[in-house]
Structure formats: C-alpha cells, structure tokens
Amino acid sequence: MKQALQARQAQTLNLTPQLLQTIRLLQLTAPQLEMELRQALERNPLLESQLVEDEAEDDAPAADAAAQECAAWDELPEPMFLSAGGHAGDEEATARIAAGESSDWRQRLLALLALQWRPHALAMAAFWLDHCDDRGYLEHDVQALGQRGATELGIAAEELEVARQRLLHGEWPGVAAADPGECLRAQLALQPTGRARELASRILSDHLELLAAHDAAALAGALAAGEDDVHAAIALVLSLRPHPVEAVAADSGHIVPDVVAWHAGGKWRVALNDAVLPRVRIAPHCEQALADAPGQHAALRGLLEEARWLVRGVAMRNETLLRTTQVLVERQRAFLERGEEAIAPLTLKEVADAIGMHESTVSRITTGKYIQTPRGTFELKRLFAVRLEGAQVGAAAVKAMVRRLIETEPANAPLADDVIAGLLARQGVRIARRTVAKYRDQLDIPSAPARRAQPRAAVA
C-alpha cells in the first residue's frame, strides 16, 4: 500500500456560542424573548432597558453589524437542540411545506409503505386508509367495508383483511382499527412480554368498563391478581395512544400579536408590535468608559462583547421578522381582503427567496409568531398554504370552499362528500372524496346523513 499526502480545501461553519445564541434568539416567541432579556439585564450590568423612542438610532447599525458577522447562520439546518422550547403544534406541517410532502397523514403513510409493500398490497392499504377518519379509525363497519373493497378491487375479502391486519400492526400501530379497543390491543402487542402486558391485554379484552371507572380493586378481583400488578397493567394501558393518529392540540391561551398589519393609503402596511417587543441596549457611559481604558478590565470587556452580540442578535431577529411578514402580507393580500377562499399557495422557499435567506430562517422566524390583521389575529404559519396537486389553489382555500358549499346546501338534501368533490371539480379543483371528508371533519361538520337528521342551525 502506497501512502501519500493530499491537500483538500473545504468550507466549514464554526458554531461559536455567539452564533448559536443568534440562531436561538431568532426563533424565540415574544414572551420567551422578554424572559431572555430580563435574565440578561440581571446578569450583565452593561445592559439597560431601551426606550422605544431611542430605537431608531440604534437598531440599524446593530442589524447591519449582525448581518456582516452572522452571514452564514441562516444556512444551518433545523436541529432539535436549537428549538428553544418552540411550538410543537404544526412545526412538522411547515417542514412538509418546505419539502413538498403531503399534509395528509394517509398520503405520508402510503409513501412510507411504498418502500416495502408490493403495488397490489399497496392498493389494498389505500382502500382501508381511504375509509379512515382523521384519527385513524375506520368510518364504517369492518365487514361491510371488507365486502365493498373485495368487490371494488376484485379480490377475496379475506385477502383484504390480511392487508388491514398488516396496517393495524405495522408502521403506525392501530391505524385502520375498528374501535379504540382494537387500536390499543395492536399497540400493546408491540410492548415487551411480561405480567403487566398479560393483564393489560385481559383488561382491554374484557374489563374496559372497570378501567374507565378507575376501579383498581374491582380489576384486581376480576383478574385474580395483586393490586401492584394491576396498577402496573393500568399504567401500561394509559401509556398507549388513545388514537392511531394524534390530532394537534389547539392553543386556547391569550395571544398578543408580534406584528400588526393594516390597510392604508391603498396598500398594506406592517409594523412590529412595540407593546410586546422588549428593548435593551448597552449603557452608553459604560461603553465609553471601557473605550477610554484599553487593556484593562478584561472581565468587563467580556461582558461588553456578550452584550454586543445580544443586542445585534435581537436587532437581526426583529428585522428578519419584519421583512418576512412584509412578504407574507404582500403575497396573501387577496386572503386579507377577500377571505379564506382567496388564500394563495405559498411555501417557505418562496418567502426565503424573496428575502434572500434560507428556508430554515423563515421556518424559525414564523414559528410561534402572531400577526394582527383586520381579519383577526393568527400565527404567521397560517399564511403558508400547500399547493394541491394539479391545481392553482391551496388546501386552506379548498377547505373554505367545502364550508361554503355545505353552508349553502338545501336543508332537505345535504351534499354527500363525493357530490362536493364533483362540484369542486367543475370549478377546476380536483380532490378525492376522502380529502373532502378530511376537510369536513377538520371543520367539525357532520356527514350528510347526520346533517339531514339534525336542525339546519347546528350545521352552520
């Protein structure tokens, strides 16, 4: 073996503590940033609170300096350790917007199964998923669906049931379950064998009523087991997911907007909300004193450098938030003026290209930030929309169309999901029946038979 020396040239990004701090500041929400700056004020005596009227002369130089010293920070990926406690809500959905991946969990699961399942089996999986609600449960009786699928696909009902069992115990345990009990049993089958799993299986099969009543003593008697074993089994059951596909929890807390948008002079204007925007700066007399004493007070000079990075990072965060919001408002002005049906498809990449930054920067700066508009206050993420395949509209606009069609339907003849899909197709929007059903469920609108059986006011 011959040994030789080779010279290679490569570019790397050194993640200094200051750079990491700048990245983290970018994605902090207003309450998180306020807490961060309060702690910095207590920790660093060279910092002081800044009045709003003083910001004009200080922000521009700070933002320019930060832009020069942190030119590459927006090229970084989105690692979990930089999340700084950000929203867990729909962060994954925005990542899918950037990657061009479907926001429908059925499509994502099918794409995953396509790597392992044969086309024939994949078609059977698609049939079962097509008849699941947004939680992952089957919408109708298993046997009835099995007979219908066997007729549609030209196969035996037993073969179709085998595909359902593969789904049930596959990549996402519990998917295509007939009821919560079957869903939980499928998840339980993946747990390590032992006394707790055995008792948990018996509880799910025969004693769900006692479990729901939280009657551990009665369960111990029914299972002929000790209370410690029963409590371990109950804990195992409670650790399972109640639904195969977990819904995103809604945030019902009080929201204060980070940005305000309004229409004046024939155009849309955007400004940061000064009421929630914390301001800090370096105390001028301290900075001047250190400048007049070069070579001395090394500890104070370290604090001064830390303060400069903090001020520059906050200035860049605010500037990036404002520029990003300006692009979002300009691209979605039709939505702000006319409503949900006018929202345009918009991705992270399109906004990133408009402001000259990376997609990860846009993702960070829009997570957990809220905008106040004449149409209400909502998260900036809402101004992004996935483009439906083969259409020039986004999913949010189609959802609004579904709502309008149902609200204007005849009271004695509610529109079925396939009829709504047909009406949308006439408008150039082609979506599947299951997509209509998904949007209807997200809007908390019952199915056509349920709407026919209830008063009209309950639907609207």
Side-chain angles (χ1 to χ4, degrees), residues 293-325:
Q296 301 179 17
H297 309 294
L300 288 178
R301 291 191 179 281
L303 290 174
L304 177 61
E305 190 63 23
E306 177 185 327
R308 284 173 176 168
W309 271 97
L310 179 65
V311 171
R312 292 168 183 171
V314 172
M316 173 159 273
R317 171 197 179 272
N318 295 340
E319 181 192 27
T320 305
L321 176 60
L322 185 61
R323 291 173 58 197
T324 302
T325 307

Side-chain angles (χ1 to χ4, degrees), residues 406 417 436-447 451:
I406 293 178
D417 294 338
V436 175
K438 178 186 74 169
Y439 291 162
R440 179 175 50 72
D441 288 341
Q442 291 175 353
L443 294 169
D444 291 327
I445 298 176
S447 62
R451 297 200 302 274

Side-chain angles (χ1 to χ4, degrees), residues 368-441:
K369 315 299 191 306
Y370 288 82
I371 180 172
Q372 177 181 309
T373 74
R375 288 202 168 271
T377 300
F378 43 81
E379 192 177 5
L380 288 175
K381 295 284 190 186
R382 184 177 171 186
L383 294 176
F384 294 99
V386 181
R387 185 185 302 275
L388 290 181
E389 184 177 354
Q392 297 300 315
V393 296
V398 176
K399 187 185 297 186
M401 295 177 187
V402 171
R403 175 188 287 277
R404 175 175 53 81
L405 288 173
I406 293 178
E407 288 178 346
T408 58
E409 68 187 2
N412 59 343
L415 301 177
D417 294 338
D418 53 350
V419 174
I420 294 175
L423 292 174
L424 291 175
R426 296 180 185 178
Q427 302 179 38
V429 180
R430 299 186 179 278
I431 59 175
R433 180 206 65 83
R434 65 172 178 270
T435 306
V436 175
K438 178 186 74 169
Y439 291 162
R440 179 175 50 72
D441 288 341

Side-chain angles (χ1 to χ4, degrees), residues 37-49:
L37 295 184
R38 287 185 183 278
Q39 293 174 353
L41 286 169
E42 295 175 358
R43 184 176 62 246
N44 194 329
L46 303 185
L47 287 171
E48 66 178 13
S49 297

Side-chain angles (χ1 to χ4, degrees), residues 336-361:
L336 296 174
E337 293 171 1
R338 302 199 301 271
E340 291 281 355
E341 292 191 31
I343 192 167
L346 186 62
T347 64
L348 293 173
K349 186 177 187 305
E350 291 173 322
V351 177
D353 291 343
I355 65 175
M357 291 187 174
H358 196 265
E359 293 175 42
S360 62
T361 303

